[in-house]
Amino acid sequence: MFRRMFWFLTGAATGVWATTKVNRALRRLSPESLAATAADRALETGARLRTFAHDVKAGMAQREGELHDALGLTGADDTRRAAPLELDTDLPAPRRGIAYNAYDRKDEH
């Protein structure tokens, strides 16, 4: 009797676990979720490229200043010298954790 009850409960728990795993995988692979993931990665890539561009510009300005100093081109009338850049390193907020529910859409009633 106890053996049958044990295997029945084990089978029921395994069924619940498998159903939960399948539902999570289906939600993760839904078009809305895939679109959100792609948008998140695009935002992250854009922020990294923007940071890289700022770093390159700062390095260029620094090197240009070094070259001006080495060649003796610095002076009060030299207006071509680049000013130091203010770097904006704020990255966009991650959108992870947003739950997308296809059943809550207003346009499909």
Side-chain angles (χ1 to χ4, degrees):
M1 172 83 175
F2 287 112
R3 183 189 285 181
R4 287 183 185 175
M5 188 182 316
F6 170 76
W7 287 113
F8 175 77
L9 292 176
T10 302
T14 303
V16 168
W17 175 79
T19 302
T20 304
K21 289 292 241 181
V22 167
N23 284 335
R24 284 182 187 166
L26 287 175
R27 260 187 268 126
R28 190 182 69 229
L29 296 174
S30 70
E32 293 87 8
S33 179
L34 292 175
T37 302
D40 289 342
R41 291 193 179 159
L43 287 173
E44 290 172 8
T45 302
R48 288 181 183 157
L49 287 174
R50 192 170 36 255
T51 303
F52 175 72
H54 284 297
D55 291 344
V56 168
K57 287 179 184 178
M60 287 172 50
Q62 178 184 358
R63 182 62 179 148
E64 184 177 350
E66 292 171 359
L67 290 174
H68 278 273
D69 290 341
L71 296 174
L73 298 176
T74 57
D77 61 336
D78 190 13
T79 58
R80 294 179 298 152
R81 187 169 180 175
L85 295 175
E86 297 282 333
L87 297 180
D88 180 24
T89 58
D90 293 336
L91 299 177
R95 295 177 41 191
R96 306 216 189 287
I98 296 176
Y100 293 96
N101 189 350
Y103 299 110
D104 289 342
R105 295 184 65 172
K106 303 287 186 221
D107 60 329
E108 294 186 30
H109 286 276

